Amino acid sequence: MSEATAKQGPDTRARILNAAESLFMTHGFEATSMRMITGQAEVNLAAVNYHFGSKDALIQEVFRRRLTELNRDRLGALEAEESLANGAPLKPSKIVAAFFGVSLKMAADTEHGGATFMRLLGRTYTEPNEFVRQFLAEEYAEVVQRFMNALYRALPDVPREEILWRFHFMMGAMSYAIAGTDALKLFAGDFDDEDPTRLMPRLMSFLLGGLRAPLPEEVIESRAIRRDAA
Amino acid sequence: MSEATAKQGPDTRARILNAAESLFMTHGFEATSMRMITGQAEVNLAAVNYHFGSKDALIQEVFRRRLTELNRDRLGALEAEESLANGAPLKPSKIVAAFFGVSLKMAADTEHGGATFMRLLGRTYTEPNEFVRQFLAEEYAEVVQRFMNALYRALPDVPREEILWRFHFMMGAMSYAIAGTDALKLFAGDFDDEDPTRLMPRLMSFLLGGLRAPLPEEVIESRAIRRDAA
DNA sequence: ATCCTGTTCAAACGTTCGTTTGAATCATAC
DNA sequence: GTATGATTCAAACGAACGTTTGAACAGGAT
């Protein structure tokens, strides 16, 4: 063979990744067996270990494939705003829109499995599995750092710790929004699924409202004291 | 034996429930084996099946034990506010504080395992396991209905669908806030764990900011149109 | 002392898991 | 054609899983 990959009909590797992605979302990592994956992908049981080495390595590859693209798009959106701003601090709404807009865009892509992946990702932030968490942390490190710095510049009067927390809250709201309607139906059985494109403005309003909310009294007080001391 | 329960040293049932709760949080349901549970609880392997019937039934009991108390407290807090209000609609902040305040209070109780449970619960809203979701839905139905109705009364001008979404977002933010610092460290390695009692005011500011945020333009427009038609 | 009932215990059950193996199959290079 | 290296395949591996079993043990009532 010439090099790296290739052969057989509709590429075995991709078939496995797609089947795994979808099954992981439906059943979770542990509850998804190799036999379920290879069955749905219509490949031989041994194919996973041949192409990826192990089940754990397959899980990593499922995330790597998508996260690379997702985080590249997020950084791209941020940099586009930054070059528009010409060195001035960005508006918080632009920063939030860059990060979460890209996420929701992938979540809306039902054609190429983006929606499936984002729901899987939302679940995985709280995943107990140690090495999955470790891997996510590494993949996210740079992007989060960049966005946090943009927010620090945009909100110089808000304590950094407070911004960090609120970013955390925003991630939670988004994850639920995407992981989704399932959980919503959990609250209201009569809930209509309706047009998912309306999610973006809804979520954005909520996130910005939360981000710009008045600081809790404790924080205001402690800052006032610190200012007095200075 | 007289009736229901009892015998042996430090109650076998409770030992199993505590061990299971803690292990489920650390490893997830599927990755936690009966042998791990009975090992940590220092009881015989067969004790789980004897006392609970099956692993699935044990999972249910772990949740039932805590959720019954949690939802009773939530309803209690809501009713206390309602009786204070004397029939007038409650302020949204009071409603939100009743629901999420009780949650955070349990999350702050590290003495009796409340913290462990709340982190487990946060993870479980997005749990793939079908019957766990089904069970959660049943346990939550009444409480959520009551709180939603209170919010409908408190915010008569906001479309009910919008309130439902925002409640959903709030649940997400809270879950992340509790499930927690783990995920936060995922974003910022240098993050200090610090005083968890400060979480409550932080989260409450964010939630209320989000809940009271201006409606997205789409919604405002569609309401204006509807009003014109009327 | 005897029986009864609730509980514990060690051992085993059958099933399913992730992984490994070695032969079969295929496309290309010579 | 024949050799070569990549891929597929059916079958098996040992380990771990949730559950069941039947005997052992406990305390209270008769």
Side-chain angles (χ1 to χ4, degrees):
Chain A
M1 189 103 312
S2 55
E3 53 170 2
T5 54
K7 201 210 112 171
Q8 101 134 183
D11 191 22
T12 302
R13 271 184 64 97
R15 295 253 296 282
I16 292 174
L17 285 171
N18 292 336
E21 185 173 88
S22 140
L23 286 167
F24 285 155
M25 191 203 69
T26 312
H27 303 100
F29 299 120
E30 302 273 355
T32 300
S33 70
M34 307 281 269
R35 286 163 180 84
M36 289 165 69
I37 297 170
T38 53
Q40 182 161 122
E42 295 183 303
V43 301
N44 186 272
L45 170 60
V48 171
N49 286 288
Y50 176 76
H51 284 281
F52 300 95
S54 69
K55 184 183 179 181
D56 279 359
L58 170 63
I59 296 177
Q60 268 192 247
E61 185 55 24
V62 165
F63 280 97
R64 211 197 46 73
R65 174 174 75 145
R66 300 273 189 186
L67 274 184
T68 301
E69 177 194 353
L70 182 65
N71 280 334
R72 177 173 28 78
D73 290 354
R74 291 207 254 231
L75 279 183
L78 180 64
E79 280 161 10
E81 291 293 343
E82 278 172 344
S83 76
L84 274 177
N86 246 354
L90 295 179
K91 286 174 61 178
S93 63
K94 296 293 184 186
I95 302 171
V96 171
F99 190 93
F100 295 98
V102 169
S103 311
L104 290 187
K105 200 171 129 216
M106 180 175 273
D109 168 31
T110 54
E111 295 283 319
H112 311 87
T116 302
F117 174 73
M118 286 306 293
R119 300 184 60 184
L120 174 60
L121 182 60
R123 289 187 165 152
T124 309
Y125 287 123
T126 55
E127 164 71 28
N129 186 320
E130 181 58 38
F131 99 96
V132 173
R133 299 177 57 77
Q134 179 64 31
F135 173 73
L136 267 192
E138 287 167 17
E139 286 286 321
Y140 262 98
E142 185 198 346
V143 175
V144 169
Q145 198 50 248
R146 293 279 296 275
F147 273 86
M148 290 307 300
N149 285 337
L151 282 174
Y152 292 157
R153 284 195 67 203
L155 302 165
D157 290 334
V158 182
R160 296 193 168 196
E161 204 180 1
E162 209 66 26
I163 297 179
L164 194 52
W165 273 104
R166 290 191 172 184
F167 191 78
H168 192 207
F169 298 153
M170 288 192 281
M171 288 287 300
M174 176 196 68
S175 290
Y176 266 43
I178 289 174
T181 337
D182 285 7
L184 244 183
K185 277 178 181 148
L186 192 145
F187 299 137
D190 59 335
F191 184 70
D192 265 349
D193 227 316
E194 80 161 272
D195 188 3
T197 63
R198 290 217 268 171
L199 172 58
M200 173 70 174
R202 273 195 229 278
L203 178 63
M204 211 56 73
S205 295
F206 180 86
L207 295 183
L208 286 174
L211 179 61
R212 295 194 285 223
L215 295 182
E217 285 180 20
E218 283 84 344
V219 175
I220 293 171
E221 282 166 17
S222 81
R223 278 177 80 74
I225 292 168
R226 233 175 289 157
R227 188 169 306 176
D228 288 350
Chain B
M1 191 100 314
S2 54
E3 55 170 359
T5 54
K7 202 209 108 172
Q8 102 133 181
D11 191 22
T12 302
R13 271 184 64 97
R15 296 253 296 282
I16 292 174
L17 286 172
N18 292 335
E21 186 172 86
S22 141
L23 286 168
F24 286 155
M25 191 203 67
T26 311
H27 304 100
F29 298 121
E30 302 273 356
T32 300
S33 71
M34 307 281 268
R35 285 162 180 85
M36 289 165 68
I37 297 170
T38 54
Q40 181 158 124
E42 295 181 303
V43 301
N44 187 272
L45 170 60
V48 171
N49 286 287
Y50 175 75
H51 284 282
F52 301 95
S54 68
K55 184 184 179 180
D56 279 359
L58 169 63
I59 296 177
Q60 267 191 248
E61 184 56 24
V62 165
F63 280 96
R64 211 197 44 72
R65 174 175 73 145
R66 300 276 189 184
L67 274 183
T68 301
E69 177 194 352
L70 182 65
N71 281 334
R72 177 173 28 79
D73 290 354
R74 290 207 255 232
L75 279 183
L78 181 64
E79 281 161 9
E81 291 293 343
E82 278 172 343
S83 77
L84 273 176
N86 247 352
L90 295 179
K91 286 173 62 178
S93 63
K94 297 292 185 188
I95 301 170
V96 171
F99 191 91
F100 295 97
V102 169
S103 311
L104 290 187
K105 200 171 130 216
M106 180 175 274
D109 168 32
T110 54
E111 296 282 318
H112 311 89
T116 302
F117 174 74
M118 286 306 293
R119 300 184 60 185
L120 174 60
L121 182 60
R123 289 187 166 154
T124 310
Y125 287 122
T126 55
E127 164 73 28
N129 186 318
E130 180 59 38
F131 100 96
V132 174
R133 298 176 58 77
Q134 179 64 32
F135 173 72
L136 268 192
E138 287 167 15
E139 285 286 322
Y140 262 99
E142 186 199 345
V143 175
V144 169
Q145 199 51 249
R146 292 279 298 273
F147 274 86
M148 289 307 302
N149 284 337
L151 281 174
Y152 293 157
R153 282 195 69 205
L155 302 164
D157 290 333
V158 182
R160 296 192 165 196
E161 205 179 1
E162 209 67 26
I163 297 178
L164 194 52
W165 274 104
R166 292 191 170 185
F167 191 78
H168 192 207
F169 298 152
M170 288 192 281
M171 288 288 300
M174 177 197 68
S175 290
Y176 266 43
I178 290 174
T181 338
D182 285 7
L184 244 183
K185 277 178 182 150
L186 193 145
F187 299 137
D190 60 335
F191 184 72
D192 265 350
D193 227 314
E194 80 162 271
D195 187 4
T197 62
R198 290 217 268 171
L199 172 59
M200 174 71 175
R202 274 194 228 278
L203 178 62
M204 210 56 73
S205 296
F206 180 87
L207 295 182
L208 286 173
L211 179 61
R212 294 192 286 223
L215 294 182
E217 286 181 18
E218 283 84 345
V219 175
I220 293 172
E221 282 165 16
S222 82
R223 280 179 77 75
I225 291 168
R226 229 174 293 157
R227 188 170 307 174
D228 289 349

